[in-house]
Amino acid sequence: MLGLGAVGVAVGASVQDGVSRALAPVGPIGDILPAAGGFRYYSVTGSVKRRSAETHRVTVGGLVDKPQSFGMADLARFPQTVLDKDFQCVTGWRVPDVRWVGVALPDLLDAVGVSRKARAVRFTSFDGVYTESLTLQQARRRDVLVATQMEGKPVTHDHGGPARLYVAPMYGYKSLKWLSGIELTDKVVPGYWENLGYDVDAWVGRSNGRDDAPT
Ligand SMILES: Nc1nc2c(c(=O)[nH]1)N[C@H]1C(S)=C(S)[C@@H](COP(=O)(O)O)O[C@H]1N2
Ligand SMILES: [Mo]
């Protein structure tokens, strides 16, 4: 799988099939549900235990001045960012014009104070398996959200609620579901799919995928 991006350019369709297979849901067959509005439900684990919005907390730690954990009510007190953007999976499906609401990641990082040694951010999911990463520079973009609402309602469990990451300019695999931990690190720690050969820098249109940049 390593070097897939370059190979994909060379041999086209057959590798894209491989990408589709690799990124297809691998949980028990019962988990492959058609989700609302063109989204497909993805989970690399079987079922994920629900967490209620009343008790769930997102912990921010690692190379920060003041480690803190934020409940959903705490997140709601931050300025809220609204983004209307396409959501695109590297396997080719795209959902146009999805409304996301949440806390811009840079605002959360400012609240805990990023240490001068930090260079990257690592995200963990309460599914216990999935991880993701961004460089600190990417994490400071205002179109990267800790998303709490999607299409006008709280992010549902299947879409990774109570809180998920939404990385607007990158393929869907960067948008980690069931977000529970944000850790500042001194270097990028490749995430789940990145360990299987997908690009760490997953810019839509410039990575393993084949489509134009989202609107
Ligand atoms: N925890 C977790 N987050 C995840 C995934 C996953 O399997 N587990 N799949 C990723 C991929 S490849 C995509 S395209 C999107 C799909 O989001 P959806 O299930 O809300 O459609 O979630 C991303 N985040
Ligand atoms: Mo995906």
Side-chain angles (χ1 to χ4, degrees):
M1 285 295 288
L2 289 166
L4 181 61
V7 176
V9 171
V11 294
S14 63
V15 168
Q16 288 302 345
D17 294 346
V19 171
S20 302
R21 267 198 303 282
L23 272 190
V26 292
I29 203 82
D31 285 328
I32 306 170
L33 305 171
F39 276 87
R40 303 197 193 159
Y41 171 80
Y42 277 5
S43 173
V44 298
T45 59
S47 64
V48 176
K49 197 158 178 284
R50 283 166 195 272
R51 291 222 179 153
S52 99
E54 280 69 51
T55 54
H56 180 55
R57 300 188 78 80
V58 176
T59 300
V60 190
L63 299 172
V64 301
D65 302 334
K66 261 190 310 171
Q68 281 177 70
S69 82
F70 300 91
M72 300 307 289
D74 302 322
L75 293 176
R77 278 191 287 272
F78 279 83
Q80 301 293 300
T81 298
V82 182
L83 296 175
D84 293 302
K85 301 268 187 194
D86 295 357
F87 187 88
Q88 182 153 344
C89 176
V90 72
T91 60
W93 57 271
R94 178 199 296 217
V95 185
D97 205 26
V98 181
R99 172 155 293 192
W100 300 90
V101 180
V103 182
L105 189 57
D107 293 344
L108 209 57
L109 297 182
D110 287 345
V112 295
V114 173
S115 126
R116 290 182 49 194
K117 290 188 198 122
R119 294 287 175 275
V121 187
R122 179 168 185 265
F123 304 90
T124 49
S125 167
F126 62 83
D127 68 11
V129 175
Y130 204 85
T131 59
E132 255 309 331
S133 68
L134 291 172
T135 66
L136 186 54
Q137 194 185 14
Q138 292 163 356
R140 289 206 182 279
R141 292 177 60 108
R142 299 209 58 86
D143 58 357
V144 176
L145 304 184
V146 171
T148 55
Q149 289 179 49
M150 186 185 156
E151 299 288 50
K153 48 185 179 51
V155 178
T156 62
H157 175 74
D158 283 355
H159 283 302
R164 79 178 288 171
L165 195 64
Y166 175 57
V167 182
M170 295 193 183
Y171 286 113
Y173 65 90
K174 299 301 284 194
S175 293
L176 171 141
K177 307 203 294 185
W178 306 297
L179 175 67
S180 57
I182 298 175
E183 186 194 352
L184 280 289
T185 55
D186 60 0
K187 56 179 185 305
V188 168
V189 181
Y192 182 91
W193 284 116
E194 291 136 31
N195 284 325
L196 295 170
Y198 288 84
D199 285 353
V200 175
D201 297 317
W203 306 107
V204 171
R206 280 186 262 159
S207 176
N208 304 335
R210 58 189 181 285
D211 292 284
D212 299 333
T215 54

